[in-house]
């Protein structure tokens, strides 16, 4: 889901969670206040969480629909046709 975030959100989350920077260190590196860095982090996490949930729901729906739809075999009429 990270690839769906904008560059600034992705950068902030990488600094915080993969490189282990503190919020104060991120604020200094980005030239913003600690409060602004914390708010940007919170918002980026919300966007990441929402996108992850969306992707999980799509994947689940695809699996459910795929499991319930029988495949057509050669010689069978199309699934959507009526007799």
């Amino acid at each position: 889901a990270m690839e769906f975030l904008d560059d600034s959100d992705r950068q902030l989350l990488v600094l915080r969670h993969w490189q282990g920077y503190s919020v104060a260190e991120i604020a200094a590196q980005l030239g913003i206040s600690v409060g602004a860095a914390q708010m940007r982090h919170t918002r980026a996490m919300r966007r990441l969480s929402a996108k992850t949930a969306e992707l999980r729901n799509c994947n689940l729906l695809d699996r459910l629909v795929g499991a319930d739809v029988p495949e057509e075999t050669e010689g069978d009429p199309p699934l959507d046709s009526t007799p």
Side-chain angles (χ1 to χ4, degrees):
M2 288 285 285
E3 64 268 17
F4 295 103
L5 297 178
D6 64 32
D7 290 339
S8 62
D9 284 348
R10 195 169 33 254
Q11 176 189 22
L12 195 141
L13 293 177
V14 166
L15 289 172
R16 181 74 176 116
H17 297 284
W18 279 269
Q19 296 182 359
Y21 283 48
S22 69
V23 174
E25 290 169 324
I26 293 169
Q29 184 166 348
L30 299 179
I32 59 178
S33 70
V34 173
Q38 182 61 52
M39 181 56 69
R40 285 181 54 186
H41 176 262
T42 298
R43 290 177 178 161
M45 287 298 295
R46 285 180 184 159
R47 284 188 281 271
L48 178 62
S49 179
K51 187 47 118 174
T52 301
E54 177 185 331
L55 292 171
R56 283 186 182 151
N57 288 339
C58 288
N59 187 23
L60 177 61
L61 181 60
D62 288 344
R63 286 187 290 169
L64 290 174
V65 169
D68 292 338
V69 176
E71 292 186 24
E72 293 181 26
T73 59
E74 192 174 317
D76 286 344
L79 292 173
D80 61 349
S81 68
T82 55

